[in-house]
């Protein structure tokens, strides 16, 4: 099995795309989180209580995500996984550009586009855990942000030299991960406001750049 080198450029592209896809999908598909599944439990409950649209997509995101992670684990080819992610994001972009915006994310083509993006991000999560386990996650920032705050607190209160060095080393990895993800979110929001559904043209391009960078 080919191994991936965790270069700063590669991890940056992964983090940017995760934040971008999650934000663009959330805005265009009425609160659907595509890069991670935790938030969909909250928005599903809100949809059921308030009777808003998108409950089916939010309910389906978890099994789709789980199924793709399982299939990714069974695959022995990282190139196949990264190529599949490009195809999934490109198919989602075509649907969003050709037929969006959608009044309801839980029906028809909107549902299909949402699940395609969920599947693509599930593959990214799986590839990260299988091949880049030593670098911060590219999608879920809760644990990363918690560790950043813990390390900052340790530096502020003063710790022994070995602990201080370890905290500083972690911060050099974790802080850029959070900032890059946030930058992706911001760019997606601006693109959505500025060009609407055409904002979805960027993720498959970035995914292709990730595939190229992973082969270096």
């Amino acid at each position: 099995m080919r191994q991936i080198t965790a270069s700063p450029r590669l991890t940056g592209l992964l983090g940017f795309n995760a934040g971008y896809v999650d934000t663009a999908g959330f805005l265009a598909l009425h609160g659907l989180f595509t890069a991670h599944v935790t938030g969909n439990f909250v928005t599903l409950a809100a949809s059921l209580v308030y009777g808003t649209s998108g409950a089916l997509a939010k309910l389906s995101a978890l099994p789709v995500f789980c199924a793709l992670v399982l299939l990714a684990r069974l695959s022995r080819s990282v190139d196949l996984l990264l190529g599949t992610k490009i195809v999934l994001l490109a198919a989602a972009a075509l649907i969003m550009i050709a037929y969006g915006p959608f009044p309801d994310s839980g029906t028809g083509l909107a549902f299909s586009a949402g699940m395609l993006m969920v599947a693509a991000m599930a593959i990214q999560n799986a590839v990260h855990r299988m091949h880049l386990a030593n670098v911060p996650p590219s999608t879920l920032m809760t644990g990363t942000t918690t560790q950043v705050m813990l390390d900052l607190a340790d530096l502020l209160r003063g710790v022994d030299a070995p602990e201080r060095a370890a905290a500083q080393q972690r911060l050099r990895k974790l802080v850029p991960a959070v900032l890059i993800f946030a930058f992706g979110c911001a760019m997606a929001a601006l693109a959505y406001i500025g060009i609407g559904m055409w904002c979805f043209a960027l993720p498959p391009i970035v995914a292709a750049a990730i595939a190229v960078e992973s082969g270096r």
Side-chain angles (χ1 to χ4, degrees):
M1 182 186 298
R2 181 172 72 82
Q3 298 299 313
I4 301 176
T5 301
S7 68
R9 183 180 300 176
L10 176 62
T11 55
L13 289 169
L14 287 167
F16 173 86
N17 223 23
Y20 190 101
V21 171
D22 215 20
T23 301
F26 185 90
L27 293 171
L29 296 173
H30 309 280
L32 176 67
F33 287 100
T34 54
H36 67 281
V37 298
T38 308
N40 288 319
F41 290 112
V42 177
T43 54
L44 171 61
S47 296
L48 295 174
V49 169
Y50 291 112
T52 53
S53 66
L56 178 61
K58 291 158 190 166
L59 183 63
S60 301
L62 178 60
V64 170
F65 189 94
C66 292
L68 265 294
V69 171
L70 178 65
L71 292 173
R73 184 61 164 176
L74 294 174
S75 173
R76 302 294 296 175
S77 172
V78 66
D79 294 312
L80 175 61
L81 292 175
L82 294 176
T84 301
K85 189 180 80 166
I86 296 170
V87 172
L88 291 170
L89 289 174
L94 288 173
I95 293 173
M96 297 301 293
I97 293 169
Y99 300 101
F102 301 99
D104 185 347
S105 64
T107 58
L109 290 172
F111 177 84
S112 299
M115 294 308 102
L116 287 168
M117 285 187 275
V118 169
M121 290 296 100
I123 290 175
Q124 175 163 319
N125 274 276
V127 168
H128 199 113
R129 291 296 297 271
M130 291 188 296
H131 298 278
L132 298 167
N134 293 326
V135 299
S138 61
T139 56
L140 188 60
M141 292 296 115
T142 305
T144 302
T145 304
T146 300
Q147 188 61 55
V148 167
M149 293 301 104
L150 291 173
D151 287 335
L152 287 176
D154 286 343
L155 293 177
L156 288 172
R157 70 183 175 89
V159 291
D160 294 337
E163 294 181 13
R164 183 179 183 84
Q168 291 173 334
Q169 184 176 9
R170 281 193 299 270
L171 286 172
R172 283 193 288 269
K173 294 181 179 179
L174 298 179
V175 171
V178 175
L179 294 177
I180 289 168
F181 183 88
F183 179 66
C185 295
M187 290 300 99
L190 291 173
Y192 182 79
I193 293 171
I195 58 177
M197 296 300 103
W198 279 97
C199 70
F200 289 96
L202 182 60
I205 297 173
V206 178
I210 289 169
V212 171
E213 183 64 28
S214 72
R216 293 183 177 179

